[in-house]
Amino acid sequence: MLNGHGEPIVGNAEITRRLTRYRDAIQYVHDETVKGMNAGKDVFSLMQEIKLPPKYDLTEIFGKVSWSVRGIYEGYAGWYAGNPTSMYEIPSSSFIQI
């Protein structure tokens, strides 16, 4: 199997093992994020708290768990953070500060 990064993965058993581990890690991050949301935690707390257990043995070279937590959180709760300047097509830094 040729994946996006790294060496090819060879052999049905090894491909199944790695893809299963990857799938389970994604499910873990999803479930922990939703559990934290239901407990009333904000996205930044969850981004700091949620870590993969060692059993998944995955590195964060090409992405971070915290980025996935934020994506999952915003996928359910939306991206609006309460600042009306973030609703426009220009950066909030472009607005005049009063």
XYZ file of all heavy atoms in Angstrom:
782
model
N 0.847 -1.156 0.000
C 0.000 0.000 0.000
C 0.898 1.227 0.000
O 1.845 1.322 0.763
C -0.898 0.008 1.243
C -1.815 1.210 1.289
S -2.815 1.272 2.773
C -1.692 2.105 3.870
N 0.581 2.170 -0.872
C 1.296 3.442 -0.905
C 0.459 4.473 -0.164
O -0.677 4.751 -0.538
C 1.526 3.888 -2.354
C 2.331 2.933 -3.230
C 2.374 3.431 -4.664
C 3.738 2.784 -2.671
N 1.023 4.998 0.906
C 0.301 6.028 1.638
C 0.858 7.398 1.270
O 1.754 7.512 0.448
C 0.354 5.766 3.152
C 1.762 5.575 3.655
O 2.727 5.881 2.972
N 1.882 5.058 4.859
N 0.363 8.426 1.876
C 0.761 9.784 1.517
C 2.187 10.133 1.902
O 2.803 10.988 1.289
N 2.717 9.508 2.937
C 4.055 9.809 3.422
C 4.733 8.514 3.824
O 4.093 7.579 4.266
C 3.986 10.729 4.643
C 3.293 12.022 4.381
N 3.887 13.053 3.693
C 2.058 12.463 4.700
C 3.050 14.077 3.610
N 1.919 13.737 4.212
N 6.038 8.468 3.682
C 6.801 7.320 4.148
C 6.900 6.210 3.126
O 6.473 6.326 1.982
N 7.466 5.146 3.594
C 7.701 3.965 2.765
C 6.392 3.203 2.526
O 5.460 3.293 3.319
C 8.702 3.039 3.465
C 10.075 3.660 3.665
C 10.790 3.924 2.353
O 10.714 3.060 1.445
O 11.401 4.997 2.227
N 6.343 2.431 1.436
C 5.169 1.587 1.199
C 4.985 0.592 2.353
O 5.940 0.184 2.998
C 5.510 0.832 -0.089
C 6.566 1.645 -0.747
C 7.330 2.311 0.362
N 3.746 0.230 2.588
C 3.425 -0.777 3.599
C 3.167 -2.075 2.850
O 2.342 -2.120 1.937
C 2.190 -0.366 4.427
C 2.449 0.990 5.096
C 1.862 -1.428 5.471
C 1.223 1.596 5.720
N 3.864 -3.127 3.246
C 3.835 -4.381 2.503
C 3.192 -5.492 3.329
O 3.462 -5.620 4.522
C 5.271 -4.792 2.101
C 5.268 -6.091 1.325
C 5.939 -3.681 1.297
N 2.354 -6.281 2.684
C 1.737 -7.443 3.312
C 0.357 -7.147 3.854
O 0.137 -6.129 4.513
N -0.572 -8.048 3.565
C -1.954 -7.846 3.990
C -2.089 -7.656 5.504
O -2.831 -6.787 5.971
C -2.832 -9.015 3.546
C -3.073 -9.017 2.050
O -2.942 -7.991 1.400
N -3.425 -10.174 1.505
N -1.385 -8.468 6.268
C -1.501 -8.382 7.724
C -0.995 -7.038 8.239
O -1.622 -6.417 9.110
C -0.745 -9.530 8.388
N 0.134 -6.579 7.708
C 0.698 -5.302 8.161
C -0.171 -4.132 7.713
O -0.373 -3.181 8.470
C 2.132 -5.132 7.647
C 2.815 -3.881 8.138
C 2.997 -3.815 9.645
O 2.819 -4.816 10.356
O 3.328 -2.705 10.128
N -0.691 -4.189 6.520
C -1.595 -3.135 6.045
C -2.832 -3.082 6.931
O -3.238 -2.007 7.385
C -1.981 -3.379 4.572
C -0.764 -3.161 3.676
C -3.140 -2.474 4.155
C -0.954 -3.643 2.238
N -3.409 -4.220 7.209
C -4.601 -4.276 8.067
C -4.284 -3.758 9.464
O -5.051 -2.978 10.036
C -5.141 -5.712 8.130
O -5.500 -6.128 6.815
C -6.345 -5.813 9.052
N -3.160 -4.158 10.025
C -2.767 -3.722 11.365
C -2.625 -2.209 11.435
O -3.176 -1.548 12.320
C -1.451 -4.386 11.776
C -1.026 -4.096 13.213
C 0.351 -4.691 13.529
N 1.429 -3.930 12.910
C 1.894 -2.756 13.364
N 1.363 -2.213 14.433
N 2.892 -2.145 12.767
N -1.937 -1.629 10.477
C -1.699 -0.182 10.514
C -2.969 0.618 10.239
O -3.229 1.621 10.900
C -0.620 0.199 9.511
C 0.741 -0.258 9.947
C 1.792 0.532 9.253
N 3.062 -0.138 9.236
C 4.134 0.349 8.653
N 4.074 1.501 8.020
N 5.265 -0.314 8.687
N -3.749 0.184 9.276
C -4.981 0.917 8.980
C -5.988 0.810 10.128
O -6.701 1.773 10.427
C -5.597 0.441 7.672
C -4.832 0.815 6.400
C -5.539 0.263 5.171
C -4.640 2.312 6.288
N -6.033 -0.342 10.775
C -6.916 -0.514 11.928
C -6.479 0.397 13.068
O -7.303 1.070 13.706
C -6.936 -1.980 12.383
O -7.424 -2.783 11.302
C -7.814 -2.179 13.607
N -5.192 0.454 13.324
C -4.658 1.327 14.376
C -4.957 2.793 14.067
O -5.384 3.547 14.940
C -3.158 1.107 14.511
C -2.517 1.940 15.609
C -1.028 1.718 15.672
N -0.448 2.167 14.415
C 0.790 1.924 14.031
N 1.593 1.212 14.779
N 1.251 2.374 12.896
N -4.779 3.195 12.830
C -5.049 4.561 12.415
C -6.536 4.894 12.559
O -6.904 5.923 13.115
C -4.580 4.740 10.963
C -4.603 6.161 10.473
C -3.884 7.160 11.131
C -5.321 6.511 9.346
C -3.903 8.460 10.675
C -5.349 7.813 8.885
C -4.636 8.783 9.555
O -4.663 10.079 9.105
N -7.392 3.978 12.115
C -8.840 4.166 12.244
C -9.240 4.302 13.703
O -10.011 5.187 14.075
C -9.584 2.983 11.617
C -11.112 3.096 11.755
C -11.786 1.759 11.752
N -11.333 0.907 12.850
C -11.411 -0.407 12.847
N -11.938 -1.054 11.817
N -10.988 -1.115 13.876
N -8.697 3.433 14.553
C -9.032 3.462 15.974
C -8.550 4.750 16.639
O -9.222 5.295 17.514
C -8.458 2.245 16.688
C -9.120 0.943 16.257
O -10.172 0.992 15.578
O -8.576 -0.125 16.600
N -7.395 5.264 16.217
C -6.883 6.523 16.762
C -7.791 7.685 16.376
O -8.092 8.550 17.206
C -5.458 6.766 16.276
N -8.246 7.702 15.138
C -9.163 8.751 14.688
C -10.458 8.685 15.481
O -10.976 9.710 15.935
C -9.430 8.623 13.174
C -8.163 8.949 12.396
C -10.591 9.521 12.741
C -8.234 8.592 10.917
N -10.972 7.493 15.681
C -12.207 7.326 16.447
C -12.013 7.785 17.886
O -12.893 8.421 18.472
C -12.662 5.862 16.415
C -14.032 5.644 17.028
C -15.141 6.249 16.185
O -15.271 5.927 15.012
N -15.919 7.150 16.755
N -10.869 7.472 18.464
C -10.568 7.893 19.834
C -10.596 9.419 19.949
O -11.221 9.965 20.863
C -9.201 7.349 20.264
C -8.772 7.846 21.613
C -9.197 7.206 22.770
C -7.951 8.968 21.735
C -8.823 7.672 24.023
C -7.578 9.444 22.984
C -8.016 8.790 24.120
O -7.657 9.261 25.351
N -9.910 10.109 19.043
C -9.865 11.579 19.087
C -11.268 12.148 18.905
O -11.675 13.068 19.622
C -8.881 12.128 18.037
C -8.967 13.650 17.944
C -7.458 11.692 18.361
N -12.029 11.586 17.994
C -13.409 12.041 17.791
C -14.224 11.877 19.065
O -14.875 12.810 19.541
C -14.066 11.259 16.645
C -15.518 11.543 16.509
N -16.488 10.836 17.200
C -16.174 12.475 15.790
C -17.665 11.323 16.911
N -17.515 12.317 16.047
N -14.211 10.692 19.623
C -15.038 10.398 20.796
C -14.632 11.240 22.002
O -15.487 11.727 22.750
C -14.981 8.912 21.140
C -15.633 8.048 20.063
O -16.303 8.589 19.159
O -15.451 6.817 20.139
N -13.331 11.435 22.208
C -12.863 12.255 23.333
C -13.251 13.716 23.145
O -13.589 14.410 24.109
C -11.347 12.124 23.506
C -10.916 10.777 24.028
C -11.487 10.471 25.405
O -11.262 11.268 26.337
O -12.168 9.429 25.544
N -13.226 14.186 21.916
C -13.626 15.569 21.629
C -15.105 15.762 21.925
O -15.500 16.717 22.607
C -13.317 15.937 20.169
O -11.912 15.765 19.928
C -13.706 17.371 19.858
N -15.938 14.855 21.434
C -17.382 14.958 21.669
C -17.687 14.834 23.159
O -18.519 15.581 23.694
C -18.150 13.910 20.834
C -19.617 13.860 21.217
C -17.983 14.202 19.345
N -16.993 13.930 23.854
C -17.194 13.784 25.290
C -16.846 15.098 26.009
O -17.588 15.550 26.890
C -16.344 12.638 25.833
C -16.572 12.347 27.300
C -15.984 11.018 27.776
C -14.516 10.877 27.492
N -13.911 9.671 28.079
N -15.761 15.727 25.618
C -15.379 17.000 26.215
C -16.363 18.114 25.899
O -16.677 18.945 26.757
N -16.874 18.137 24.676
C -17.883 19.128 24.304
C -19.129 18.951 25.159
O -19.692 19.928 25.662
C -18.242 18.995 22.818
C -17.128 19.390 21.882
S -17.539 19.066 20.150
C -18.703 20.412 19.849
N -19.559 17.710 25.320
C -20.749 17.439 26.122
C -20.547 17.791 27.593
O -21.518 18.058 28.306
C -21.171 15.974 25.982
C -21.767 15.686 24.629
O -22.308 16.563 23.966
N -21.654 14.438 24.188
N -19.300 17.816 28.030
C -18.986 18.209 29.403
C -18.844 19.727 29.538
O -18.551 20.228 30.622
C -17.703 17.521 29.865
N -19.007 20.449 28.422
C -18.956 21.912 28.454
C -17.572 22.511 28.318
O -17.382 23.696 28.575
N -16.602 21.722 27.899
C -15.239 22.243 27.753
C -15.101 23.023 26.449
O -15.718 22.678 25.446
C -14.229 21.101 27.791
C -14.177 20.415 29.140
C -13.100 19.363 29.176
C -13.040 18.717 30.557
N -11.940 17.742 30.627
N -14.239 24.037 26.477
C -14.013 24.834 25.271
C -12.968 24.153 24.384
O -12.248 23.250 24.818
C -13.586 26.259 25.635
C -12.235 26.291 26.324
O -11.215 26.347 25.618
O -12.201 26.247 27.571
N -12.889 24.609 23.157
C -12.013 23.977 22.171
C -10.550 24.035 22.585
O -9.797 23.079 22.380
C -12.225 24.579 20.760
C -11.762 26.020 20.667
C -11.528 23.735 19.699
N -10.117 25.143 23.191
C -8.704 25.272 23.535
C -8.313 24.328 24.674
O -7.216 23.765 24.658
C -8.379 26.731 23.867
C -8.623 27.635 22.691
C -9.694 28.500 22.682
C -7.804 27.588 21.576
C -9.939 29.324 21.593
C -8.039 28.398 20.472
C -9.114 29.269 20.486
N -9.204 24.130 25.622
C -8.937 23.156 26.686
C -8.806 21.759 26.103
O -7.882 21.013 26.446
C -10.053 23.173 27.736
O -10.109 24.406 28.387
N -9.716 21.405 25.217
C -9.675 20.071 24.612
C -8.438 19.888 23.745
O -7.837 18.806 23.728
C -10.946 19.812 23.807
C -12.228 19.732 24.631
C -13.436 19.593 23.724
C -12.163 18.582 25.620
N -8.036 20.934 23.032
C -6.830 20.847 22.201
C -5.599 20.552 23.056
O -4.686 19.863 22.610
C -6.633 22.136 21.408
C -7.633 22.322 20.285
S -7.512 23.946 19.504
C -5.947 23.770 18.624
N -5.582 21.064 24.276
C -4.448 20.828 25.173
C -4.555 19.477 25.879
O -3.537 18.832 26.137
C -4.371 21.935 26.221
C -3.997 23.271 25.643
C -4.051 24.396 26.665
O -4.203 24.159 27.865
N -3.937 25.612 26.192
N -5.761 19.051 26.188
C -5.964 17.850 27.007
C -5.895 16.539 26.236
O -5.390 15.538 26.756
C -7.327 17.922 27.701
C -7.437 18.995 28.746
C -8.854 19.147 29.282
O -9.729 18.305 28.983
O -9.095 20.134 30.005
N -6.439 16.507 25.034
C -6.587 15.224 24.331
C -5.262 14.804 23.704
O -4.686 15.516 22.875
C -7.713 15.300 23.280
C -9.049 15.572 23.979
C -7.768 14.012 22.456
C -10.212 15.818 23.040
N -4.797 13.662 24.127
C -3.558 13.051 23.621
C -3.864 11.603 23.251
O -4.723 10.971 23.855
C -2.459 13.074 24.682
C -2.187 14.429 25.298
C -1.552 15.373 24.329
C -1.247 16.704 25.018
N -1.311 17.816 24.119
N -3.152 11.076 22.293
C -3.324 9.670 21.931
C -2.672 8.759 22.967
O -1.545 9.019 23.392
C -2.697 9.377 20.570
C -3.438 9.874 19.350
C -2.628 9.580 18.097
C -4.813 9.243 19.248
N -3.356 7.709 23.372
C -2.726 6.718 24.256
C -1.565 6.032 23.529
O -1.571 5.910 22.299
C -3.846 5.713 24.523
C -5.116 6.401 24.165
C -4.755 7.404 23.102
N -0.563 5.580 24.272
C 0.605 4.931 23.663
C 0.265 3.742 22.765
O 1.006 3.431 21.837
C 1.432 4.481 24.863
C 0.990 5.340 25.989
C -0.442 5.688 25.721
N -0.852 3.067 23.018
C -1.182 1.868 22.231
C -1.353 2.182 20.740
O -1.239 1.291 19.909
C -2.423 1.169 22.776
C -3.723 1.923 22.566
C -4.892 1.133 23.140
C -6.210 1.822 22.910
N -7.328 1.047 23.410
N -1.609 3.441 20.401
C -1.767 3.783 18.984
C -0.427 4.039 18.303
O -0.326 3.945 17.100
C -2.710 4.975 18.814
C -4.111 4.622 19.240
C -4.742 5.312 20.257
C -4.788 3.563 18.653
C -6.024 4.978 20.670
C -6.063 3.206 19.065
C -6.667 3.929 20.069
O -7.924 3.581 20.476
N 0.602 4.374 19.055
C 1.969 4.470 18.539
C 2.033 5.238 17.218
O 2.612 4.770 16.242
C 2.552 3.055 18.378
C 4.031 3.092 18.026
O 4.736 4.013 18.478
O 4.476 2.195 17.279
N 1.400 6.404 17.171
C 1.429 7.225 15.960
C 2.208 8.501 16.233
O 2.106 9.096 17.299
C -0.002 7.584 15.516
C -0.886 6.417 15.110
C -2.319 6.882 14.903
C -0.357 5.758 13.851
N 2.983 8.923 15.259
C 3.722 10.171 15.400
C 2.875 11.317 14.856
O 1.942 11.110 14.091
C 5.052 10.107 14.632
O 4.771 9.893 13.253
C 5.939 9.003 15.156
N 3.244 12.513 15.247
C 2.535 13.701 14.783
C 3.448 14.525 13.876
O 3.608 15.726 14.051
C 2.045 14.518 15.974
C 1.009 13.788 16.802
C 0.468 14.630 17.939
O -0.155 15.673 17.673
O 0.684 14.231 19.091
N 4.024 13.877 12.896
C 4.947 14.539 11.989
C 4.194 15.372 10.943
O 4.561 16.496 10.657
C 5.861 13.512 11.289
C 6.740 12.823 12.327
C 6.705 14.179 10.219
C 7.536 11.668 11.787
N 3.137 14.839 10.386
C 2.424 15.500 9.298
C 1.090 16.096 9.737
O 0.322 16.560 8.912
C 2.207 14.521 8.139
C 3.502 14.004 7.588
C 3.933 12.724 7.863
C 4.309 14.825 6.813
C 5.132 12.243 7.369
C 5.513 14.362 6.317
C 5.930 13.077 6.593
N 0.816 16.097 10.992
C -0.409 16.658 11.542
C -0.390 16.503 13.046
O 0.401 15.736 13.590
N -1.219 17.243 13.714
C -1.268 17.230 15.167
C -2.646 16.792 15.638
O -3.658 17.133 15.027
C -0.975 18.623 15.736
C 0.350 19.214 15.301
C 1.469 18.535 16.018
C 2.798 19.162 15.643
N 3.910 18.331 15.987
N -2.687 16.072 16.737
C -3.958 15.681 17.333
C -4.771 16.933 17.646
O -5.972 16.987 17.405
C -3.742 14.818 18.597
C -5.035 14.639 19.373
C -3.153 13.464 18.218
N -4.107 17.962 18.155
C -4.821 19.189 18.516
C -5.518 19.810 17.308
O -6.609 20.372 17.440
C -3.868 20.195 19.163
O -2.838 20.573 18.274
N -4.922 19.711 16.130
C -5.566 20.243 14.923
C -6.834 19.456 14.613
O -7.845 20.025 14.210
C -4.634 20.176 13.732
C -3.344 20.922 13.883
C -3.019 21.851 14.849
C -2.194 20.791 13.056
N -1.743 22.297 14.663
C -1.204 21.666 13.564
C -1.897 20.018 11.949
C 0.050 21.794 12.979
C -0.652 20.147 11.363
C 0.303 21.032 11.877
N -6.768 18.152 14.797
C -7.945 17.321 14.556
C -9.040 17.609 15.574
O -10.221 17.653 15.225
C -7.564 15.835 14.607
O -6.662 15.536 13.563
N -8.642 17.813 16.821
C -9.621 18.158 17.860
C -10.357 19.428 17.456
O -11.591 19.490 17.510
C -8.939 18.329 19.234
C -9.894 18.934 20.255
C -8.391 17.001 19.729
N -9.617 20.422 17.025
C -10.250 21.683 16.624
C -11.182 21.474 15.432
O -12.285 22.013 15.392
C -9.206 22.731 16.292
C -9.843 24.070 15.998
C -8.846 25.177 15.871
N -9.557 26.422 15.996
C -9.027 27.515 16.436
N -7.775 27.522 16.827
N -9.728 28.615 16.493
N -10.755 20.699 14.464
C -11.597 20.425 13.301
C -12.892 19.717 13.674
O -13.962 20.052 13.176
N -12.786 18.744 14.560
C -13.977 18.012 15.008
C -14.892 18.955 15.784
O -16.103 19.000 15.549
C -13.577 16.794 15.870
C -12.827 15.767 15.011
C -14.802 16.167 16.532
C -12.043 14.748 15.813
N -14.321 19.706 16.700
C -15.086 20.638 17.531
C -15.840 21.627 16.642
O -17.052 21.822 16.783
C -14.134 21.377 18.475
C -14.823 22.153 19.564
C -14.873 21.666 20.859
C -15.400 23.382 19.315
C -15.491 22.381 21.866
C -16.022 24.111 20.323
C -16.058 23.602 21.593
O -16.671 24.305 22.593
N -15.126 22.264 15.727
C -15.752 23.262 14.871
C -16.726 22.633 13.881
O -17.684 23.275 13.465
C -14.694 24.092 14.160
C -13.952 24.988 15.138
C -12.877 25.852 14.502
O -12.610 25.704 13.289
O -12.294 26.673 15.243
N -16.507 21.378 13.541
C -17.450 20.679 12.673
C -18.811 20.514 13.322
O -19.844 20.565 12.653
N -18.818 20.327 14.624
C -20.076 20.183 15.358
C -20.619 21.516 15.862
O -21.822 21.758 15.819
C -19.905 19.231 16.550
C -19.843 17.779 16.157
C -18.692 17.036 16.344
C -20.944 17.135 15.596
C -18.626 15.691 15.983
C -20.891 15.808 15.235
C -19.739 15.085 15.430
O -19.674 13.759 15.076
N -19.745 22.351 16.407
C -20.189 23.581 17.074
C -20.152 24.800 16.160
O -20.715 25.828 16.496
C -19.326 23.838 18.307
N -19.479 24.699 15.025
C -19.319 25.857 14.150
C -18.034 26.589 14.476
O -17.390 26.355 15.489
N -17.670 27.491 13.622
C -16.391 28.179 13.742
C -16.491 29.515 14.457
O -15.491 30.090 14.848
C -15.802 28.422 12.354
C -16.757 29.175 11.470
C -17.669 28.624 10.613
C -16.954 30.577 11.399
N -18.417 29.608 10.011
C -17.988 30.833 10.468
C -16.353 31.676 12.026
C -18.437 32.105 10.160
C -16.811 32.950 11.709
C -17.837 33.152 10.778
N -17.684 30.055 14.645
C -17.837 31.399 15.194
C -17.413 31.440 16.663
O -17.916 30.702 17.490
C -19.289 31.869 15.057
C -19.510 33.272 15.549
C -18.842 34.335 14.967
C -20.367 33.525 16.607
C -19.047 35.626 15.417
C -20.574 34.811 17.063
C -19.911 35.858 16.466
O -20.108 37.130 16.919
N -16.478 32.336 16.979
C -15.927 32.429 18.322
C -16.465 33.618 19.110
O -15.938 33.954 20.158
C -14.399 32.507 18.249
N -17.493 34.285 18.605
C -18.088 35.396 19.335
C -17.567 36.761 18.946
O -18.035 37.766 19.465
N -16.601 36.825 18.060
C -16.059 38.105 17.607
C -16.669 38.430 16.249
O -16.356 37.776 15.256
C -14.536 38.032 17.503
C -13.909 39.346 17.080
O -14.590 40.282 16.659
N -12.594 39.417 17.191
N -17.540 39.458 16.172
C -18.225 39.742 14.908
C -17.287 40.120 13.766
O -17.633 39.938 12.604
C -19.179 40.882 15.243
C -18.796 41.377 16.575
C -17.967 40.337 17.244
N -16.071 40.585 14.065
C -15.156 40.937 12.978
C -14.687 39.695 12.215
O -14.231 39.797 11.089
C -13.928 41.719 13.493
O -13.198 40.907 14.416
C -14.342 43.022 14.149
N -14.803 38.522 12.817
C -14.373 37.301 12.127
C -15.410 36.804 11.124
O -15.187 35.813 10.444
C -14.054 36.204 13.147
O -15.235 35.788 13.807
N -16.526 37.506 11.023
C -17.586 37.085 10.110
C -17.397 37.641 8.693
O -18.090 37.241 7.773
C -18.949 37.541 10.638
C -19.300 36.904 11.966
S -20.786 37.576 12.701
C -22.019 37.027 11.533
N -16.437 38.532 8.523
C -16.265 39.209 7.235
C -15.100 38.645 6.453
O -14.261 37.925 6.981
C -16.124 40.715 7.470
C -17.378 41.290 8.074
C -17.509 41.436 9.444
C -18.467 41.618 7.272
C -18.675 41.918 10.007
C -19.642 42.099 7.823
C -19.738 42.248 9.184
O -20.897 42.718 9.724
N -15.059 38.987 5.178
C -14.062 38.407 4.266
C -12.688 39.072 4.344
O -11.803 38.755 3.559
C -14.575 38.450 2.819
C -14.858 39.836 2.280
C -16.242 40.364 2.649
O -17.023 39.686 3.308
O -16.535 41.496 2.268
N -12.501 39.968 5.285
C -11.200 40.588 5.493
C -10.718 40.253 6.913
O -11.525 40.013 7.809
C -11.243 42.131 5.284
C -12.259 42.784 6.240
C -11.554 42.469 3.846
C -12.263 44.288 6.184
N -9.404 40.224 7.122
C -8.900 39.882 8.457
C -9.341 40.910 9.497
O -9.449 42.094 9.205
C -7.374 39.911 8.300
C -7.089 40.056 6.862
C -8.342 40.484 6.176
N -9.593 40.451 10.701
C -10.037 41.365 11.755
C -8.993 42.424 12.057
O -9.322 43.503 12.533
C -10.397 40.576 13.030
O -9.291 39.835 13.466
N -7.727 42.159 11.731
C -6.673 43.158 11.933
C -6.859 44.378 11.028
O -6.254 45.417 11.264
C -5.305 42.523 11.709
O -5.202 42.040 10.381
N -7.688 44.267 9.987
C -7.935 45.379 9.081
C -8.913 46.394 9.645
O -9.010 47.505 9.134
C -8.496 44.864 7.744
O -7.575 44.002 7.137
N -9.653 46.016 10.683
C -10.627 46.918 11.272
C -9.930 47.960 12.143
O -8.930 47.662 12.792
C -11.660 46.148 12.102
C -12.606 45.341 11.272
C -12.334 44.011 10.995
C -13.750 45.904 10.751
C -13.201 43.246 10.223
C -14.625 45.161 9.976
C -14.347 43.832 9.707
N -10.480 49.146 12.166
C -9.943 50.211 13.004
C -10.307 49.913 14.457
O -11.465 49.637 14.772
C -10.527 51.582 12.579
C -10.114 51.901 11.144
C -10.080 52.682 13.541
C -10.787 53.130 10.570
N -9.326 49.997 15.317
C -9.544 49.786 16.745
C -9.955 51.109 17.377
O -9.307 52.114 17.179
C -8.286 49.242 17.416
C -7.800 47.931 16.832
C -8.781 46.785 17.053
O -9.355 46.671 18.119
N -8.961 45.961 16.051
N -11.018 51.107 18.146
C -11.497 52.328 18.809
C -11.180 52.252 20.275
O -11.301 51.283 20.930
C -13.019 52.514 18.592
C -13.288 52.612 17.104
C -13.504 53.735 19.339
C -14.763 52.685 16.763
